[in-house]
Amino acid sequence: MDVHNKTIAQLSQGLKAGDFSSAELTKHYLDRINTSELNAFITVTDELAMEQARAADDKIIKGNAGILTGIPYAHKDIFCTNGVKTSAGSKMLDNFISPYDATVSHKLNQADLVMLGKANMDEFAMGSSNENSYYGDVKNPWNVSKIPGGSSGGSAAAVAGRLAPFATGTDTGGSIRQPASLCGITGLKPTYGRVSRYGMIAYASSLDQAGPMTQTAEDAALVLNVMAGFDEKDSTSANRDVEDYTENLNDSIKGLTIGLPKEFFSEGLDDEVANQVMAAVKEFESMGAIVKEISLPNSAYAIPTYYIVAPCECSSNLSRLDGVRYGYRCDDPKNLDDLYLRSRSEGFGEEVKRRIMIGAYALSAGYYDAYYLKAQKVRHLISDDFKKAFKQVDVIMGPVSPTTAFDLGSVKDPVSMYLADIYTLSANLAGLPGMSIPAGFSQNLPVGLQLIGDYWSESKLLNIAHQFQQQTDWHTQTPGDKS
Ligand code: GLN
């Protein structure tokens, strides 16, 4: 087996057994990255990676290694990394070298992981196709004329294209699950508050949550063990103990009740995607699970609600980027207004500007009650639907995305692009954990199955996903030479 097809669990064993060193492994991935056409990285940190790998090898030799010591990874370019450019996919931050580490970056460093580079992404995590990056489109490893999904498209393409054994992602409205689904990998968005947002460039603060993007559920558990935890630097981080997420992977799922929301299987869902999702659900039935139809009656309002809440929060978060403090500054400003106006006009891309304008409008006096407040109320109704559903079932399953990966450049109007998020947004609005796991193919493109769990049920979701991956081999398939 090629070393780059190995999972984290396998690589960890190989490192401990001395089959290869972290330096060899790291060099192998760097070579793959540097000859790849996927455009999955904004910055490749070759030297730093080799330094970290050698330090990890030292620890392995001395017998001081942890389970993830020396494992390379791709870090979404939304996480601040001390001394390394952190762009969030934007011209606005093209010159920004972060002076500090995000908590997630710090934790990954503490676990002796090796950062290969910063993964490409939609500008400030706004997008569903990774076509909004200042650094160019990312390509889907299964077919390079297709989108990889967004906004963590670089992360997903890196893992699927075997440029990294795992990647970090962030999910505000689906950005871990949707690219994971379209690239055929495993992605987990934890419960809101499980992973610290400190140093993770904010898009919509009440929705943003970071998580792992991996080949397998077992790997996702290993990485979540490192990423999760209370952080006093993030006031929205939950003061709750971190479980060992690998502990329950092998539990039996006999008797598990699965809810299928009828609203997730209606108009707009591609037939072949529906067939693959239903085949996966059947597989669970054959493993002893019980399937029930449920209803999430307010899910039709997820798109309008999200596309008010997220732009409102982003218009506030991005106001700090004004050409004065840090980031892009226009040439030769005539006065202060000109400095603000041109720095922001030139530094932000089209989609980001659209959202800032929508947000500023919806928050303005006279419109606040009609839009933002209304959206917050509907957000509660959406959460309540889930509360009722989880009284009846253990887990909710459905599609991640209504279609498989579409052609680069084919979706031109923003509203059609927003429709791609229909099945992922509700989990963010409610703050619930969600996963995407590989569940089949339609015309050689991956189809993901979505799992949504109750609050703090990451361990259960990983168990369910792991059990499925013991029975199926969708997650082991690779795009091979197509990349
Ligand atoms: N596609 C959604 C958006 O554009 C979600 C993005 C995300 O989760 N970061 O806002």
Side-chain angles (χ1 to χ4, degrees):
M1 191 203 244
D2 286 327
V3 74
H4 51 262
N5 284 326
K6 289 186 190 290
T7 63
I8 298 174
Q10 292 164 338
L11 290 173
S12 171
Q13 279 175 7
L15 285 168
K16 307 271 134 70
D19 299 343
F20 37 79
S21 66
S22 174
E24 284 165 341
L25 197 59
T26 301
K27 175 81 174 51
H28 178 73
Y29 283 108
L30 288 171
D31 288 347
R32 287 181 66 78
I33 293 168
N34 290 322
T35 54
S36 158
E37 299 166 349
L38 300 174
N39 197 26
F41 285 81
I42 291 172
T43 305
V44 184
T45 45
D46 304 65
E47 275 178 35
L48 175 68
M50 290 310 297
E51 228 173 81
Q52 291 179 334
R54 283 190 286 266
D57 283 332
D58 259 6
K59 287 204 174 175
I60 295 170
I61 289 165
K62 293 190 179 124
N64 297 334
I67 181 139
L68 296 182
T69 298
I71 303 284
Y73 72 100
H75 206 16
K76 186 174 180 179
D77 204 18
I78 199 164
F79 293 96
C80 284
T81 40
N82 192 5
V84 176
K85 172 168 139 176
T86 301
S87 75
S90 184
K91 177 176 175 186
M92 187 56 101
L93 292 177
D94 185 48
N95 63 3
F96 177 60
I97 310 288
S98 174
Y100 72 108
D101 272 329
T103 295
V104 167
S105 308
H106 177 71
K107 281 173 174 279
L108 296 172
N109 283 338
Q110 293 294 103
D112 309 317
L113 285 145
V114 174
M115 185 176 82
L116 296 165
K118 305 293 295 284
N120 203 344
M121 56 179 283
D122 279 309
E123 185 177 2
F124 291 107
M126 298 175 200
S128 311
S129 66
N130 225 123
E131 294 168 298
N132 295 338
S133 169
Y134 174 62
Y135 302 92
D137 302 345
V138 177
K139 301 186 172 75
N140 190 313
W142 294 91
N143 179 336
V144 292
S145 67
K146 307 281 180 185
I147 58 127
S151 67
S152 314
S155 300
V159 176
R162 302 300 190 243
L163 308 180
F166 84 92
T168 56
T170 62
D171 192 313
T172 303
S175 283
I176 289 177
R177 289 160 289 154
Q178 187 254 19
S181 170
L182 303 188
C183 288
I185 63 163
T186 301
L188 167 67
K189 177 203 104 68
T191 308
Y192 182 79
R194 181 66 299 185
V195 174
S196 168
R197 293 187 299 107
Y198 178 76
M200 194 176 103
I201 293 172
Y203 162 15
S205 312
S206 75
L207 300 159
D208 297 342
Q209 188 59 200
M213 302 176 76
T214 54
Q215 291 179 34
T216 64
E218 181 185 18
D219 283 2
L222 289 168
V223 178
L224 186 63
N225 277 351
V226 174
M227 292 177 80
F230 172 64
D231 181 7
E232 60 186 21
K233 293 186 190 136
D234 170 8
S235 60
T236 60
S237 128
N239 196 347
R240 259 181 98 88
D241 289 344
V242 178
E243 303 155 55
D244 175 355
Y245 293 103
T246 61
E247 212 156 68
N248 299 320
L249 290 175
N250 293 314
D251 289 0
S252 161
I253 57 163
K254 248 194 196 98
L256 177 84
T257 48
I258 299 174
L260 299 183
K262 61 172 189 250
E263 295 80 5
F264 281 22
F265 292 87
S266 55
E267 203 193 332
L269 177 62
D270 177 89
D271 286 344
E272 281 204 52
V273 171
N275 290 342
Q276 296 299 320
V277 167
M278 287 315 295
V281 171
K282 283 247 143 42
E283 181 70 41
F284 279 108
E285 276 187 306
S286 74
M287 294 160 70
I290 300 148
V291 177
K292 283 190 189 164
E293 186 183 273
I294 58 164
S295 175
L296 299 171
N298 292 294
S299 47
Y301 306 116
I303 293 181
T305 304
Y306 173 89
Y307 280 99
I308 292 293
V309 173
C312 285
E313 294 186 16
C314 96
S315 78
S316 163
N317 277 324
L318 299 187
S319 64
R320 71 192 66 163
L321 295 161
D322 55 6
V324 176
R325 287 164 260 226
Y326 63 105
Y328 179 79
R329 177 179 297 175
C330 68
D331 284 341
D332 209 13
K334 306 277 172 288
N335 51 44
L336 190 59
D337 279 345
D338 186 46
L339 169 79
Y340 289 149
L341 192 68
R342 279 201 294 124
S343 298
R344 287 170 66 83
S345 305
E346 293 165 18
F348 289 132
E350 287 306 300
E351 184 59 26
V352 172
K353 283 190 262 195
R354 178 179 297 117
R355 305 226 186 158
I356 291 173
M357 286 191 288
I358 294 170
Y361 179 86
L363 288 176
S364 57
Y367 293 108
Y368 179 91
D369 288 4
Y371 294 109
Y372 188 68
L373 202 63
K374 185 74 160 199
Q376 292 291 23
K377 289 179 181 166
V378 181
R379 185 174 181 177
H380 268 280
L381 297 177
I382 291 171
S383 303
D384 286 346
D385 285 354
F386 282 109
K387 274 189 198 124
K388 286 183 200 133
F390 286 120
K391 293 210 170 95
Q392 302 168 51
V393 297
D394 301 318
V395 65
I396 293 172
M397 290 191 189
V400 178
S401 174
T403 62
T404 53
F406 44 86
D407 285 334
L408 282 158
S410 65
V411 177
K412 296 205 167 60
D413 95 281
V415 176
S416 309
M417 190 67 89
Y418 302 163
L419 295 177
D421 303 337
I422 176 91
Y423 305 125
T424 50
L425 301 175
S426 319
N428 300 78
L429 289 166
L432 293 166
M435 277 189 89
S436 174
I437 54 174
F441 290 86
S442 163
Q443 291 168 357
N444 290 323
L445 290 170
V447 174
L449 170 74
Q450 182 169 208
L451 319 179
I452 301 175
D454 206 348
Y455 297 105
W456 317 110
S457 66
E458 287 78 8
S459 186
K460 184 85 218 151
L461 290 181
L462 289 161
N463 163 228
I464 297 168
H466 181 69
Q467 290 305 307
F468 183 75
Q469 293 181 342
Q470 300 303 104
Q471 301 299 321
T472 57
D473 65 358
W474 306 118
H475 61 290
T476 65
Q477 309 208 12
T478 71
D481 294 329
K482 283 191 195 126
S483 60

